Amino acid sequence: MSVADSTVAGRAVIELDHVSRAFKVPGGTITAVDGVSLAIGAGEALCIVGESGCGKTTTGRMLAGILHPTSGRLLYEGEDVWRKKGNELSTFRRAVQLVHQDPYASLNPTRTIFQTLSAPLYRHKKAKGNRDATNRVRHLLDVVGLTPPDDFLGKYPHQLSGGQRQRVAIARALTVDPRVIVADEAVSMVDVSIRISLLNLLLGLRSEMGVSIVLITHDLAVARYFAREGRIGVMYLGRMVELGHSEALVSDPAHPYSAALIAAIPEADPRITRSKERVALKTAEVPSLLALPPGCTFHPRCPLAEPGLCDVQIPELLPLPADTPREVACHVAIRERRPAAELLA
Amino acid sequence: MTPILSVRDLSIDYRTRRGPVHAVRDVSFDIEKGETVAIIGESGSGKTTLAVSFIRLSPRSARITKGQILYTNDRETVDIQTLPDDELRQYRWSECAMVFQAALNSFNPVINIWEQFADTARAHGMKDSAKIHARAQELLDLVHLDPDRILKAYPHELSGGMKQRVLIALSLLLEPQLIILDEPTTALDILTQRSIIDLLGQLRKKLGFSLIFISHDLSIAAELADRMITMYAGTIVERASVTDLFYRPRHPYSVGLLRAVPRVSGAMGSVASIPGSPPDLIRLPSGCTYVPRCPLAIAACAEREPDLVPVDTPNHEARCIRWKTVAEQVGTAEVAVAEKIATA
């Protein structure tokens, strides 16, 4: 299935439709997510990237249905999740699982791995009796690469490394045969030397079991690797500013913010990193979520910003004509019909 | 010229109930004046243990079992381990300053930034408030912050990037000759990371201090380092210039680390994690400690721990008897390792 197909309405497993989420904080209300629409196709690997405060975690939590949007809809197989009740809602709950960032906090320290993994099996009637549960847990451990499984059944989280714990957390998400896994910074707390193997594990679940995976990360290099056959969405101050095929987005970013971000990333290659062309921003200051600028929220920093346009109208996420399908929320890029990276060069 | 810091055969153990943890083993290296050295390795490779020993701030359970740490300024050479307390106090901060990993939480939350400067200055014998104030203003200017606003602010009012800048300014207070940074940009956003890296580059040029930074993040090393040290299981496994380490690594562990990090620019290449996990530092295997994870290991590797030996490029050493095989695989071209190695 191509990237374009997966975005066709109706094929999406799960979809955010113009969702916003506001939080009350001392000093006012902040809009953490503002009008984000995103459709996840079956078996898709998609990454949401952005800096802290961009709303990527809030978006992930709304996708996983653990946070109610202030406005907008969450659709599962085309139906509004928050109108479902009883059995229908629990079907959705099983279908979408969340893997948290911190494997040191997300596992109960007083439970063995077997207890952690068998509880949801019993709870959702996926296992009958101890022997069946043991066999299923063994199988799950095998799937997430904790082998031989019998070595892990009786262990407690503190006996495992960070990477092993994160594998247990992924196994726990798999206990209920989900169709979508939302992984929030799932590799950022494990050692660099083993991150790729965890990403490969998630990608394997996608290719072998058809699970869609949404990875939320601040690391664009990780996003590029993970979503190399899929899409990356870039968020800035609560809005999706660019959504497109990952290679196109990384090599020729369409939004000036993505362009600035990619130009700023230090790379593990001295020749490349020391000769990178920077994108000079007007200011380094990020506006407060409590006092967002009007129009495009990036305009006070944007080298392409045009007075009277960018500071007045909120840009919509629109398709940019190009070889690979992508969408960008930038007045200037859309008008010039060219990605920002080319306009800045 | 005498190096500013000379570490000789340094070994550090931690006492634990299970027995001594050999956190640092036989580490030797020199840092020249004005030079930037990056120490890289996984968590548990001993890099932080090593760095805190340079300012004699190791925890009580740590014991230096062997070796010396020699510091040289324009007057004398001193052994850090045997410095009397008053001289140690002088050495810390005015000769050698360290910015810790959890640096963003290392401010006192109930006093403003001006008082943080004043406290540090008074602790080191500066008494004239007006002078301290002038110096604080000058330093905040240097790290591109607005002194009037920042000095009045409390730590919680500053963003992560601003705090990191203030800490860098604070570390420069007594004009140290050597600055140690432990994971300087780990908790920061990309654009902030970039500005801190650029700032460190400018300051180094302007002030000429030596810089050691410890990081698992290879990209910061690629940006700033002149030379690199790869540590594994408490010991140096490779020592090279930054370009040699990135393009001509000769130890399979350095190769593994380089392949473990995907990039945003250039071809993706054969990215892969290192299989397995680091050895138990209490019961170290005999022979090369990397054998269980090494794709090139042969029987001879497990017999005795190899020495750090010179390899095919100058001023470049690797602790590996198979370095020639690594050289055949990786070659000498200035291209990222992941692009040069065919997917196994």
Side-chain angles (χ1 to χ4, degrees), chain A residues 15-74:
Chain A
E15 186 174 354
L16 291 173
D17 177 24
H18 293 92
V19 295
S20 298
R21 172 72 203 204
F23 291 104
K24 283 205 173 65
V25 296
T29 303
I30 57 167
T31 305
V33 172
D34 187 9
V36 166
S37 294
L38 183 65
I40 317 288
E44 193 183 4
L46 178 131
C47 279
I48 303 178
V49 301
E51 299 185 277
S52 48
C54 73
K56 57 188 190 298
T57 291
T58 306
T59 302
R61 290 165 73 88
M62 287 196 285
L63 262 178
I66 59 170
L67 198 65
H68 209 294
T70 317
S71 66
R73 298 183 305 163
L74 168 66

Side-chain angles (χ1 to χ4, degrees), chain A residues 81-99:
Chain A
V81 169
W82 291 108
R83 291 182 158 205
K84 290 175 188 276
K85 283 195 182 78
N87 272 345
E88 280 194 327
L89 188 59
S90 58
T91 307
F92 165 78
R93 290 250 178 264
R94 283 196 297 274
V96 184
Q97 292 291 310
L98 192 64
V99 174

Side-chain angles (χ1 to χ4, degrees), chain B residues 131-156:
Chain B
K131 259 192 195 154
I132 301 171
H133 202 269
R135 177 79 180 138
Q137 277 185 320
E138 179 193 349
L139 288 170
L140 289 172
D141 233 16
L142 203 58
V143 298
H144 312 303
L145 289 171
D146 172 12
D148 297 328
R149 198 184 128 207
I150 298 293
L151 285 173
K152 279 188 224 126
Y154 284 83
H156 76 269

Side-chain angles (χ1 to χ4, degrees), chain A residues 142-158:
Chain A
D142 209 39
V143 168
V144 298
L146 292 174
T147 49
D150 288 342
D151 285 2
F152 291 91
L153 290 175
K155 283 205 167 134
Y156 288 91
H158 76 266

Side-chain angles (χ1 to χ4, degrees), chain B residues 193-212:
Chain B
Q193 257 187 37
R194 160 58 55 203
S195 68
I196 296 290
I197 289 171
D198 291 349
L199 174 68
L200 287 169
Q202 290 163 17
L203 291 175
R204 185 180 57 171
K205 217 181 246 172
K206 202 179 274 179
L207 305 175
F209 49 73
S210 308
L211 194 60
I212 299 180

Side-chain angles (χ1 to χ4, degrees), chain B residues 25-216:
Chain B
R25 298 181 296 120
D26 294 310
V27 166
S28 297
F29 66 93
D30 290 343
I31 291 175
E32 305 294 335
K33 202 166 163 46
E35 191 180 38
T36 297
V37 175
I39 304 177
I40 59 167
E42 282 165 286
S43 39
S45 60
K47 51 195 198 306
T48 300
T49 303
L50 183 65
V52 293
S53 75
F54 300 159
I55 52 168
R56 218 165 97 190
L57 211 61
S58 309
R60 210 178 276 257
S61 59
R63 197 168 61 90
I64 293 184
T65 54
K66 178 154 98 45
Q68 279 181 312
I69 304 160
L70 302 176
Y71 175 84
T72 307
N73 59 16
D74 27 332
R75 298 183 305 275
E76 54 180 349
T77 295
V78 293
D79 182 345
I80 303 306
Q81 278 179 85
T82 57
L83 273 186
D85 281 356
D86 55 328
E87 282 177 44
L88 178 66
R89 203 183 175 80
Q90 205 50 46
Y91 163 77
R92 286 184 190 154
W93 224 257
S94 51
E95 299 285 349
C96 174
M98 179 156 180
V99 179
F100 292 95
Q101 191 168 2
L104 302 184
N105 303 319
S106 60
F107 289 105
N108 180 343
V110 299
I111 61 176
N112 67 24
I113 300 300
W114 156 243
E115 288 167 272
Q116 319 262 356
F117 271 93
D119 260 10
T120 311
R122 287 192 197 107
H124 290 276
M126 288 168 77
K127 293 204 177 68
D128 185 343
S129 276
K131 259 192 195 154
I132 301 171
H133 202 269
R135 177 79 180 138
Q137 277 185 320
E138 179 193 349
L139 288 170
L140 289 172
D141 233 16
L142 203 58
V143 298
H144 312 303
L145 289 171
D146 172 12
D148 297 328
R149 198 184 128 207
I150 298 293
L151 285 173
K152 279 188 224 126
Y154 284 83
H156 76 269
E157 295 174 296
L158 305 180
S159 68
M162 287 161 119
K163 281 193 232 180
Q164 191 63 280
R165 280 162 193 272
V166 173
L167 277 166
I168 291 170
L170 203 53
S171 73
L172 297 171
L173 184 66
L174 303 174
E175 298 175 62
Q177 293 304 300
L178 175 63
I179 296 178
I180 304 167
L181 300 166
D182 192 359
E183 304 284 3
T185 59
T186 299
L188 304 174
D189 276 325
I190 296 162
L191 294 173
T192 318
Q193 257 187 37
R194 160 58 55 203
S195 68
I196 296 290
I197 289 171
D198 291 349
L199 174 68
L200 287 169
Q202 290 163 17
L203 291 175
R204 185 180 57 171
K205 217 181 246 172
K206 202 179 274 179
L207 305 175
F209 49 73
S210 308
L211 194 60
I212 299 180
F213 63 87
I214 298 161
S215 188
H216 65 264

Side-chain angles (χ1 to χ4, degrees), chain A residues 126-142:
Chain A
K126 300 255 178 195
K128 292 188 192 83
N130 194 281
R131 177 176 297 179
D132 189 23
T134 311
N135 283 335
R136 279 174 187 271
V137 170
R138 276 203 194 109
H139 173 69
L140 286 168
L141 288 172
D142 209 39

